[in-house]
């Protein structure tokens, strides 16, 4: 059902981020974690990879990200738990509710603790969430994937608290580093070179912070940052703050709209990357889609961070 509804969530029309987030939390998560207490302990690594792949495809719809964004990065961008951790949390919450003994990440629950009532259960649920987030944070710190996203959100708890972050296809391209940037397109062999019109390598960071062609476009962001007392040089983490995020989001839209008008690459990128030409598996490794025909579409390893 989620996939059926998600078909009307395209990059620039259809269901927006808020609606897709509601569908994800109200349909995908409950269905995927249903009766988790009965089977969570039986999960093998192969099951976890499959679940991660299923979640990843769902979150690509929610965030409107390009399919080359890694599994590790997409859950951080979306601000949701990796699905295996969501399953573990749901299973252990059931054990707390039913007063079933367990130990997890230094957290122990004994049956006789149930006598102290709902206050103890609430405390245990809070400590369980802290333990789950510690695991996610360790994964995120040790991952080699999604390092552009890491520059914006190095702490997963901070991302979860950032409820002002409402995503669209433009800002997600900068948060992930995967989008209409010539350095990425060159890795796909979709453009002849990786150079910006200013002569520098055109990455997401270059367009956002350094390209002289977008100095005027950055004026609103610069003025807003000075208004709230920040220095003239802004960091990625400051861009996703409550004070600056909407201005950052508007700048992303301006840059990418102008970028597509200047070099006409957007349509090719959406066809070849968001469409059917490339397949990305749950580990972030790339392989050609078997259904692809025509020119050689084998992507390079350089495309993934």
């Amino acid at each position: 059902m989620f996939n059926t509804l998600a078909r009307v969530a395209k990059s620039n029309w259809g269901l927006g981020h808020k609606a897709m987030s509601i569908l994800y939390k109200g349909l995908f998560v409950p269905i995927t974690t249903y009766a988790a207490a009965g089977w969570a302990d039986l999960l093998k690594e192969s099951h976890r990879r499959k679940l991660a792949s299923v979640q990843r495809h769902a979150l690509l719809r929610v965030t409107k990200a390009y399919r080359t964004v890694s599994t590790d990065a997409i859950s951080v961008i979306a601000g949701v738990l990796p699905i295996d951790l969501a399953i573990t949390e749901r299973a252990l919450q059931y054990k707390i509710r039913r007063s079933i003994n367990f130990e997890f990440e230094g957290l122990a629950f004994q049956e006789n603790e149930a006598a102290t009532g709902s206050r103890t259960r609430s405390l245990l649920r809070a400590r369980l969430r802290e333990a789950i987030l510690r695991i996610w944070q360790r994964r995120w710190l040790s991952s080699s994937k999604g390092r552009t996203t890491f520059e914006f959100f190095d702490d997963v708890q901070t991302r979860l608290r950032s409820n002002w972050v409402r995503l669209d296809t433009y800002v997600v391209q900068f948060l992930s580093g995967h989008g209409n940037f010539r350095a990425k397109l060159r890795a796909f062999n979709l453009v002849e070179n990786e150079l910006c019109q200013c002569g520098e390598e055109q990455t997401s960071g270059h367009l956002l912070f350094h390209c002289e062609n977008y100095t005027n476009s950055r004026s609103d962001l610069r003025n807003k940052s000075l208004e709230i007392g920040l220095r003239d040089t802004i960091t990625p983490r400051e861009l996703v703050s409550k004070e600056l995020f909407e201005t950052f989001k508007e700048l992303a839209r301006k840059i990418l709209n102008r970028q597509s008008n200047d070099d006409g690459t957007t349509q090719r990128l959406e066809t070849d990357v968001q469409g059917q030409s490339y397949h990305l598996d749950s580990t972030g490794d790339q392989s050609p889609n078997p259904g692809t025909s025509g020119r050689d579409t084998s992507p390079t390893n350089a495309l993934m961070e």
Side-chain angles (χ1 to χ4, degrees):
M1 182 181 293
F2 176 84
N3 286 333
T4 300
L5 293 171
R7 288 172 186 166
V8 296
K10 303 302 180 182
S11 60
N12 286 308
W13 61 270
L15 295 177
H17 173 250
K18 184 176 181 180
M20 288 302 300
S21 294
I22 291 172
L23 289 175
Y24 175 84
K25 294 173 182 177
L27 282 177
F28 181 85
V29 175
I31 291 172
T32 308
T33 63
Y34 181 74
W39 50 268
D41 293 338
L42 303 177
L43 283 179
K44 298 179 180 179
E45 187 58 33
S46 59
H47 301 142
R48 295 178 187 276
R49 288 196 298 268
K50 181 62 177 177
L51 286 166
S53 177
V54 172
Q55 182 190 36
R56 184 178 170 283
H57 286 287
L59 291 181
L60 289 176
R61 299 280 194 175
V62 173
T63 61
K64 301 180 185 293
Y66 285 89
R67 65 169 58 203
T68 49
V69 178
S70 68
T71 302
D72 291 345
I74 196 68
S75 58
V76 175
I77 292 172
V80 299
L81 282 175
I83 195 63
D84 66 312
L85 294 181
I87 289 168
T88 298
E89 184 177 42
R90 181 67 63 90
L92 295 181
Q93 285 176 343
Y94 176 86
K95 291 184 178 182
I96 291 172
R97 191 165 60 250
R98 296 293 183 178
S99 302
I100 300 172
N101 296 351
F102 72 86
E103 291 186 9
F104 177 76
E105 281 285 301
L107 178 64
F109 180 76
Q110 302 298 325
E111 186 176 354
N112 56 13
E113 292 185 60
T116 59
S118 60
R119 184 174 181 179
T120 296
R121 290 192 177 92
S122 296
L123 178 61
L124 280 169
R125 282 193 291 268
R127 290 175 60 192
L128 172 60
R129 169 48 69 105
E130 292 172 359
I132 291 289
L133 292 179
R134 283 197 300 271
I135 296 173
W136 188 13
Q137 182 64 32
R138 289 199 298 267
R139 291 181 185 178
W140 186 226
L141 288 172
S142 63
S143 176
S144 62
K145 306 291 186 182
R147 295 303 87 182
T148 295
T149 304
F150 188 85
E151 293 179 7
F152 292 93
F153 298 109
D154 62 338
D155 182 77
V156 296
Q157 292 194 57
T158 298
R159 173 62 188 96
L160 291 181
R161 289 193 296 265
S162 302
N163 56 9
W164 56 85
V165 174
R166 298 293 175 86
L167 304 172
D168 63 23
T169 187
Y170 303 106
V171 77
V172 166
Q173 289 180 60
F174 283 99
L175 291 175
S176 64
H178 290 248
N180 189 19
F181 313 118
R182 294 187 69 87
K184 286 294 183 188
L185 299 182
R186 182 68 185 92
F188 274 123
N189 292 320
L190 296 178
V191 294
E192 293 182 357
N193 64 70
E194 69 277 10
L195 297 181
C196 183
Q197 291 184 347
C198 69
E200 300 293 330
E201 182 184 28
Q202 192 191 82
T203 63
S204 59
H206 169 73
L207 287 176
L208 189 57
F209 294 109
H210 306 297
C211 184
E212 59 188 23
N213 293 337
Y214 296 94
T215 300
N216 291 336
S217 298
R218 288 190 287 268
S219 61
D220 287 345
L221 181 63
R222 183 167 55 253
N223 293 337
K224 182 66 175 180
S225 66
L226 293 174
E227 178 185 317
I228 63 176
L230 294 177
R231 60 192 181 280
D232 191 42
T233 303
I234 306 170
T235 67
R237 292 182 184 88
E238 290 167 342
L239 286 177
V240 292
S241 66
K242 187 174 184 179
E243 294 79 10
L244 288 183
F245 182 75
E246 286 301 319
T247 308
F248 165 40
K249 188 175 176 180
E250 178 62 18
L251 174 60
R253 184 189 65 79
K254 288 180 180 178
I255 291 176
L256 289 172
N257 279 338
R258 178 177 167 185
Q259 173 77 354
S260 63
N261 290 333
D262 286 347
D263 59 25
T265 56
T266 299
Q267 184 58 48
R268 289 187 69 192
L269 183 64
E270 288 183 350
T271 300
D272 291 338
V273 181
Q274 284 189 322
Q276 297 301 315
S277 295
Y278 296 109
H279 167 73
L280 191 71
D281 66 24
S282 62
T283 65
D285 297 326
Q286 301 157 57
S287 58
N289 188 351
T292 302
S293 59
R295 64 180 176 80
D296 180 12
T297 59
S298 300
T300 66
N301 290 331
L303 186 62
M304 292 305 302
E305 298 173 347

